[in-house]
């Protein structure tokens, strides 16, 4: 319907709920609700009074439509309804207003007189729908391609221009801000003259041209292609091989470098012949005497076409040209011939009579490969054995030229170097076979034979089963294990039977695999493996366990069909009230199926960190004998322990159960009163007197200690004050440059979809490969339409409050519905309901009230929102992230981005150890570089390949590794582009040209400094690169790859990755002391390491002082109620205040904790620690360490707990000790200021949420989210159906029936209804 129309909207809904005459039907279009009528099964609605504006780039706006019935407005269906706008339809195709209007799917027509697109027109002379070919238009430009930087006359035609006779036209392009008059010739055609266009980023660029008359655009189908002769044609042959239509010539002008340009731009006579060919690299550098291998020759001016290659000789021997591998000017491939003896010589090519030879550094060697031995000498018939071949000159030719055969069975080569490594294939006999190694045409038979032996067998295994959580040691006895190199366990679980699926039939199996590699080979007949964890409900699956032994897969099954089984994990009952009292003699734990797959010898129990000796293990009971003295709780859980009581932990295999805490019996036996008085009271009085004296003395000592620490802190601050001033001044100058860059390129804020993807789904187990980020669903094309329709029905079902509340409650009752799944489920739900955020907020509010009731009844209100253990808590996190996106973008983003850039700059200003990830300048003491590294700042001039002729000055350190230098160069060169568009450091090559020579710089090469098994990473200092040096940054291509090979000897790169080689950069790890050093030297090394913190901690103060203003600015931006406060924050804080008042909670600490856990700790700390969630940036590990310290300071500022300082206090608390009190006051004032603000009504909040939905829902992967949500419905189908059938409201709306229909459509299954 047109947004200007006033007609009725007729809707058909199937299935309709059972309605009576008393049920009132309502239609809700967006915010407008009207009474609807039901006529002959059709629902008739009035259109909304206000229709939202049409989004840019669209010709319609979709308005949400919800249908309800009854006084309680029970939801039963929803959809989106389109309202089209012809005025926007004309803008869909650039430069084609008439065509866009007339070809629209809506009933639009083009009024050429008034130059508008309308629903209807009083004018008779209009262009109606589907008559777009009658539009006035310009087309057919000639020539269709034009050169860069040269003005060209372009002719073109006009069509249907009868109504524009006598008018003048102008042609132009917005990208180049170009506009020129159009000339009309006598034959009725048109022409214009281009300007000198300049564009160097690509070889060609399509240019769309518009036509105007009287300031309105006439349809223009004119598109020409700009081309650049210079792009990608660095030598003469490449230039002359260009498409003749481009008219490119190789221009050699005196005093200028030769280059490829358009013929009319060359002021000298262009050359028709190219210089002599140049050979720069060959691959491979060696070959067998018999020849037969392919040699790749690379260089420049190697011919314009394959016919130009007349002859090739290698070390004086003819090499047969292979035309199909030829690449113009840059690559020739030939097959080397045979020689009678080893030779070493140059490569010579004849290109159309011009000869070129390789230099002394580029030579080919004929040599005779001589394989001498193999290891191992036997393996299973099934293959899979990793065979290593040793000998002399094995690295002859390249890997593709070499093949290995065991008899007539090929051996797949995986590693080629000084040794050849291959994986044996399957053989049909048990026998010894000859080993043949082929290098090109050379065949060598080894003296050693390889024995194919019988595949291993299994005779028995014990125990016969395992809990589904795995971790049980299984001993397998058999034969032939000695010939196996690698073992692994693969468990396959296939869903079988109907599995109690109500009202539907299943016709396919769902198969999943689980792998375990924890296997030990005891001897030739015994192995022991640890059962891998699998699904939690193994009884619903057909379980098959395989032992993979090299290439042989053996089912764990013995002669009587006794296979290895999995059983469901046992269940334990938690202690009453979480505490087991009076446990001095024995602890009793109750449960079920405790000994189904566990013995008393295997089971483990712990009290705190100490073992509890298990005495009895039955199906339902476990008894163990605790330690005599009550242990301390485990350190990792100490913060959560009440009254310092230890936990009672039961461990079966890989799974642990914490049943509660234990309390020892500390009661004394009955003793006569006359004995107690003298033996207890008098010593007690003496102890009290002594305690008072000790307490007063200790208090005075503690006070003196505090004053001493305070004095030391002030002294440290004073000692670094001058240094801070200098560092701060330098940083502000640098940040001013950064600010200019920000002003020029803008803060790289992610778009809404990328932001929500990273906040919601990047922390998931699949990370960037999560289906919600990729948006890719594996659905057959034939079923896509069916699945999409079913998912839309499922979306309607989710919009039923009764269904969604039942859905969430049912999932949270499932024991296997883990905390990670709750987080992921809530994020999926957020995306699926994004189109109706008002409804999402209502659901969140309902669940929140239930959660609050639980904590208040349990009298633990302070614990609410402490973690994200429920779906609603994660929904709150996502709600805050959605509502605060615009606030981040407009207000808090800039100070956060400047803080991030300031930390990054400060860290990179000093040395950063690329191996240890420690920096000289940091806020984190664990990331502090513990040595005083000498370094010098250099400014290098960087030229970027194909990036223009101007160099870019980049500041680096001479102690930087080559990768660090690349990162700094990329950071500077591409600073005006988002980080996601930057090239990766490992995808570019850095070349240093100290003179006429060139050297590729790399982190590790043959020149790297060695010391035993240690190898040091190369730095600029290692290469002796000086201040003002010239570096060239280029992308890795064919031309660079051989240069890497030139620097690395055969096997060098592989050797760098082996365990015996250890890499270091600035500082060797403190715990790695060479064996040659004396014990006394090792002790001195350790003592020196211990002193590092005290020596270098002043650097923390220096960095802290330098960054202080940026930290303060960020804190002020998010904790200042006098500035803009997002409406969502005010709305939710008021909600918390109202609920506290309703439940009569007078404790201000509780309300403070609620607010802190809902906003600062739930949202701001997450964004502060992960700037890449909101910005398109890369957060380096050393920068992340400093951000973590600031985040911890932010967390400390939001608590009311006082932190007393001591020598053992963490360094970050000491570092920000003086500021914490100020930050705490900021938080208190922020909460107080929000409370005093004008209230945000439900209507205002819903309006704000509706705007967010309209602006961003279309960009999200809603269908993917619905598909993923359905997987949970599928997994817990029976439980959800039961819950819906037991709920009266759900019964009335037939929700169970609707879910069954959706399930049948989505899974392509039939129902028995």
């Amino acid at each position: 319907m047109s947004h200007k129309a006033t007609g009725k909207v007729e809707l058909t809904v199937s299935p309709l709920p059972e309605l009576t005459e008393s049920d009132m039907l309502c239609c809700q279009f967006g915010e407008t609700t009207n009474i609807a009528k039901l006529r002959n099964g059709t629902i008739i609605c009035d259109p909304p009074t206000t229709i939202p504006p049409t989004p840019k780039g669209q010709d319609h706006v979709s308005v949400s439509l919800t249908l309800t019935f009854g006084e309680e407005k029970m939801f039963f269906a929803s959809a989106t309804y389109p309202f089209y706008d012809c005025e926007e339809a004309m803008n869909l195709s650039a430069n084609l207003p008439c065509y866009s209007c007339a070809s629209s799917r809506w009933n639009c027509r083009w009024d050429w007189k008034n130059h508008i697109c309308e629903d209807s027109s009083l004018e008779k002379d209009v262009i109606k729908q589907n008559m777009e070919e009658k539009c006035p238009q310009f087309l057919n430009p000639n020539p269709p391609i034009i050169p860069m930087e040269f003005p060209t006359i372009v002719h073109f035609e006009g069509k249907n221009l009868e109504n524009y006779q006598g008018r003048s036209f102008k042609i132009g392009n917005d990208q180049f801000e170009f506009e020129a008059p159009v000339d009309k010739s006598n034959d009725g055609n048109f022409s214009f003259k281009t300007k000198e266009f300049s564009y160097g980023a690509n070889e060609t660029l399509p240019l769309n041209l518009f036509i105007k008359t009287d300031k309105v655009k006439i349809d223009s189908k004119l598109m020409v292609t700009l081309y650049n002769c210079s792009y990608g044609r660095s030598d003469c042959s490449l230039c002359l091989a260009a498409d003749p239509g481009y008219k490119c010539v190789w221009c050699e002008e005196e005093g200028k470098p030769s280059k490829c340009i358009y013929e009319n731009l060359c002021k000298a006579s262009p050359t028709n012949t190219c210089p002599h060919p140049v050979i720069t690299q060959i691959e491979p550098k060696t070959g067998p005497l018999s020849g037969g291998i392919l040699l790749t020759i690379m260089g420049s001016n190697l011919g314009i076409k394959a016919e130009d290659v007349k002859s090739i000789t290698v070390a004086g021997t003819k090499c047969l040209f292979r035309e199909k591998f030829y690449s113009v000017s840059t690559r020739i491939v030939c097959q080397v011939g045979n020689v009678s003896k080893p030779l070493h010589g140059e490569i010579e090519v004849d290109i159309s009579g011009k000869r070129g030879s390789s230099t002394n550094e580029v030579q080919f060697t004929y040599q005779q490969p001589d394989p001498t031995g193999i290891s191992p000498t036997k393996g299973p018939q099934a293959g899979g054995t990793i065979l290593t071949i040793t000998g002399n000159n094995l690295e002859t030719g390249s890997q593709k030229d070499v093949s290995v055969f065991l008899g007539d069975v090929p051996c797949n080569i995986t590693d080629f170097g000084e040794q050849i490594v291959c994986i044996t294939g399957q053989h049909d006999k048990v026998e010894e076979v000859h080993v043949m190694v082929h290098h090109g045409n050379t065949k060598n038979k080894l003296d050693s034979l390889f024995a194919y032996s019988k595949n291993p067998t299994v005779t028995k295994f014990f125990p016969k089963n395992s809990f589904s959580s795995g971790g049980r040691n299984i001993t397998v006895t058999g034969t032939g294990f000695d010939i196996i190199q690698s073992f692994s366990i693969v468990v396959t679980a296939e869903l079988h039977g109907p599995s109690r699926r109500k009202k539907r039939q299943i016709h396919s199996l769902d198969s999943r695999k689980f792998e375990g590699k924890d296997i030990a080979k005891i001897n030739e007949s015994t192995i022991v493996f640890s059962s891998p964890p699998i699904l939690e409900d193994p009884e619903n699956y057909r379980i098959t366990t395989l032992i993979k032994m090299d290439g042989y897969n053996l089912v764990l099954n013995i002669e009587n069909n006794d296979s290895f089984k999995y059983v469901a994990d046992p269940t334990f009952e938690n202690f009453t009230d979480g505490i087991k009292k009076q446990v001095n003699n024995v602890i009793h734990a109750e449960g079920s199926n405790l000994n189904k797959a566990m013995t008393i010898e295997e089971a483990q129990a712990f009290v705190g960190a100490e073992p509890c000796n298990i005495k009895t293990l039955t199906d339902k009971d476990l008894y163990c004998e605790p330690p005599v003295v009550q242990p301390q709780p485990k350190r990792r859980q100490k913060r959560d322990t009440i009254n310092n009581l230890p936990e009672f932990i039961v461990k079966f295999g890989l799974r642990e159960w914490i049943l509660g805490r234990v309390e020892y019996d500390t009661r004394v036996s009955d003793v006569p009163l006359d004995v107690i008085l003298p033996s207890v009271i008098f010593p007690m009085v003496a102890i009290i007197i002594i305690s008072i004296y000790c307490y007063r003395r200790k208090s005075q000592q503690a006070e003196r200690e505090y004053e001493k620490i305070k004095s030391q802190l002030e002294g440290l601050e004073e000692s670094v004050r001058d240094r801070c001033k200098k560092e701060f001044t330098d940083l502000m100058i640098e940040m001013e440059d950064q600010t200019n860059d920000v002003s020029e390129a803008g803060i790289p804020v992610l778009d809404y979809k990328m932001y929500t993807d990273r906040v919601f789904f990047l922390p998931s187990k699949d990370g960037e490969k999560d289906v919600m980020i990729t948006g890719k669903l594996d659905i057959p094309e034939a079923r896509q339409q069916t699945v999409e329709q079913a998912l839309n029905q499922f979306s309607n079902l989710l919009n039923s409050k009764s269904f969604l509340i039942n859905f969430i409650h049912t999932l949270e009752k499932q024991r296997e519905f883990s905390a990670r799944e709750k987080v992921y489920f809530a994020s999926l739900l957020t995306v699926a309901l994004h189109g109706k955020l008002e409804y999402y907020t209502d659901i969140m509010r309902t669940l929140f009230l239930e959660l609050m009731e639980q904590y208040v009844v349990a009298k633990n209100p302070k614990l609410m929102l402490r973690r994200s253990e429920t779906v609603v808590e994660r929904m709150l996190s996502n709600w805050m992230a959605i509502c605060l996106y615009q606030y981040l973008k407009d207000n808090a983003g800039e100070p956060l981005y400047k803080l991030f850039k300031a930390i990054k700059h400060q860290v990179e200003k000093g040395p950063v150890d690329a191996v240890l990830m420690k920096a000289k300048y940091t806020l984190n003491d664990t990331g502090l570089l513990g040595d005083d590294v000498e370094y010098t700042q250099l400014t290098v001039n960087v030229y970027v390949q194909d990036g223009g002729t101007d160099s870019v000055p980049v500041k680096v350190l001479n102690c930087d590794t080559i990768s660090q230098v690349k990162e700094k160069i990329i950071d500077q060169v591409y600073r005006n582009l988002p980080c996601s568009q930057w090239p990766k450091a490992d995808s570019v090559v850095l070349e240093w040209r100290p003179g006429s020579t060139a050297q590729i710089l790399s982190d590790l090469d043959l020149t790297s400094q060695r010391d035993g098994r240690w190898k040091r990473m190369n730095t600029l200092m290692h290469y002796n690169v000086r201040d003002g040096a010239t570096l060239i940054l280029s992308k890795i291509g064919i031309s660079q790859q051989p240069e890497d090979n030139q620097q690395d000897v055969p096997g060098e790169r592989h050797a760098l990755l082996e365990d015996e080689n250890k890499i270091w950069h600035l500082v060797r790890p403190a715990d790695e002391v060479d064996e040659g050093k004396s014990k006394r030297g090792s002790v001195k090394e350790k003592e020196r390491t211990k002193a590092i913190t005290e020596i270098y901690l002043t650097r923390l103060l220096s960095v802290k002082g330098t960054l202080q203003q940026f930290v303060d600015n960020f804190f002020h931006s998010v904790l200042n109620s006098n500035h803009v406060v997002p409406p969502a924050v005010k709305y939710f804080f008021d909600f918390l205040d109202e609920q506290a008042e309703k439940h009569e909670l007078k404790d201000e600490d509780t309300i403070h904790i609620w607010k802190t856990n809902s906003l600062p700790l739930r949202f701001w700390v997450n964004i502060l620690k992960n700037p890449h969630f909101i910005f398109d940036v890369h957060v380096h590990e050393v920068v992340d360490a400093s951000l973590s310290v600031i985040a911890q300071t932010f967390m400390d500022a939001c608590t009311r707990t006082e932190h007393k300082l001591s020598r053992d206090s963490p360094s970050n608390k000491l570092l920000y000790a003086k500021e914490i009190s100020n930050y705490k006051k900021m938080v208190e004032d922020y909460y107080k200021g929000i409370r005093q603000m004008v209230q945000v009504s439900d209507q205002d909040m819903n309006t704000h949420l509706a705007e967010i939905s309209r602006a961003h829902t279309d960009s999200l992967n809603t269908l993917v989210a619905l598909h993923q949500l359905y997987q949970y419905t599928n997994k817990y189908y029976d439980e959800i159906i039961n819950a819906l059938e037991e709920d009266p409201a759900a019964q009335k709306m037939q929700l169970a029936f609707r879910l069954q229909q959706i399930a049948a459509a989505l899974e392509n299954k039939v129902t028995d209804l």
Side-chain angles (χ1 to χ4, degrees), residues 826 829 840 843-844 847 871-879:
L829 197 61
Y840 175 88
I843 295 293
M844 183 183 76
L847 295 172
V871 171
V872 67
E873 288 173 295
R874 183 60 189 188
M875 287 177 71
L876 173 62
S877 301
N878 295 346
W879 187 79

Side-chain angles (χ1 to χ4, degrees), residues 474 476 486-494 511-519 527 529-535 542-557 563-566:
I474 313 298
V476 181
S486 65
F487 296 84
S488 65
I489 294 292
V490 176
V491 179
T492 304
E494 293 182 335
S511 179
R512 296 182 63 182
K513 289 187 178 182
F514 307 88
E515 187 169 0
K517 296 188 177 180
D518 188 3
I519 300 184
I527 61 173
F529 72 88
S530 175
S531 59
I534 65 165
L535 297 157
R542 184 181 296 109
I543 306 296
T544 304
T545 304
L546 292 174
I547 305 179
K548 297 185 72 173
M549 296 175 278
D550 291 347
Y552 183 54
N553 297 339
L554 178 66
V555 178
L556 196 55
N557 195 358
S563 60
F564 184 75
K565 296 181 175 60
Y566 274 90

Side-chain angles (χ1 to χ4, degrees), residues 1-2 5-14 16 25-27 29 34-48 65 67 76-77 79-83:
M1 177 183 288
S2 170
T6 56
K8 302 285 187 179
V9 178
E10 296 185 359
L11 305 167
T12 302
V13 179
S14 177
L16 267 175
L25 277 173
C26 289
C27 285
F29 275 104
N34 295 318
I35 303 298
K37 295 179 181 179
L38 180 63
R39 184 184 302 158
N40 299 328
T42 301
I43 298 173
I44 301 173
C45 300
D46 289 326
L65 169 62
L67 301 178
F76 68 91
T80 56
Y81 191 85
F83 290 91

Side-chain angles (χ1 to χ4, degrees), residues 189 665 882 1302:
N189 288 334
D665 188 358
I882 285 171
I1302 293 167

Side-chain angles (χ1 to χ4, degrees), residues 112-182:
W112 65 269
K113 292 181 180 179
N114 298 312
H115 202 79
I116 54 175
C117 187
E118 296 181 319
D119 301 342
S120 60
S121 177
L122 298 176
E123 298 285 343
K124 294 182 179 180
D125 190 11
V126 295
I127 299 172
K128 298 180 181 179
Q129 186 183 16
N130 299 326
M131 296 174 61
E132 58 269 18
E133 289 304 319
K134 293 189 177 181
C135 288
Q137 54 193 280
F138 295 93
L139 65 169
N140 298 333
N142 184 35
I145 57 173
I146 58 177
M148 299 278 190
E149 300 185 358
F150 188 80
T152 306
I153 295 177
V154 179
H155 300 272
F156 56 94
E157 300 173 8
K159 181 180 177 183
N160 302 327
L161 300 176
E162 297 82 5
N163 298 316
Y164 294 92
Q165 295 297 328
R167 296 198 188 183
S168 61
F169 301 100
K170 288 189 176 182
I171 192 167
N173 173 268
D174 293 328
Q175 181 180 354
F176 287 96
E177 298 180 353
F178 158 71
E179 194 169 291
V182 174

Side-chain angles (χ1 to χ4, degrees), residues 74 96 230 284 303 311 336 339 374 426 522 558 576 650 712 799 822 836 962 966 995 1111 1162 1193 1215 1244 1266 1272:
M74 302 288 285
L96 295 169
S230 299
S311 67
V336 299
V339 296
I374 61 171
Q426 186 176 355
I522 308 302
I558 51 181
T576 305
V650 177
Q712 287 177 343
N799 280 302
K822 290 174 184 176
K836 293 188 66 176
I962 305 308
K966 288 180 186 177
V1111 176
R1162 190 167 292 273
T1193 303
L1215 200 59
D1244 292 339
L1266 289 168
Y1272 291 98

Side-chain angles (χ1 to χ4, degrees), residues 452-490:
Y452 274 108
S453 305
K454 285 186 177 181
N455 292 326
T457 61
V458 170
T459 55
K460 64 179 180 179
F461 58 89
F462 185 81
K464 302 293 179 69
N465 58 11
S466 167
F467 286 127
S468 60
S469 56
R472 194 175 198 190
N473 287 334
I474 313 298
T475 301
V476 181
T477 304
T479 62
F481 296 151
D482 57 320
I483 63 174
I484 302 300
Q485 294 173 314
S486 65
F487 296 84
S488 65
I489 294 292
V490 176

Side-chain angles (χ1 to χ4, degrees), residues 1153-1186:
I1153 289 170
W1154 285 358
K1155 293 178 179 179
T1156 294
N1157 288 338
S1158 62
L1159 177 64
L1161 302 192
R1162 190 167 292 273
F1163 177 74
W1164 285 120
V1165 168
N1166 191 30
I1167 294 296
L1168 181 56
K1169 294 175 72 173
N1170 301 283
H1172 59 290
F1173 281 4
I1174 181 65
F1175 304 124
D1176 193 347
V1177 295
H1178 170 68
V1179 183
H1180 198 278
E1181 191 174 328
V1182 288
V1183 175
D1184 180 68
S1186 293

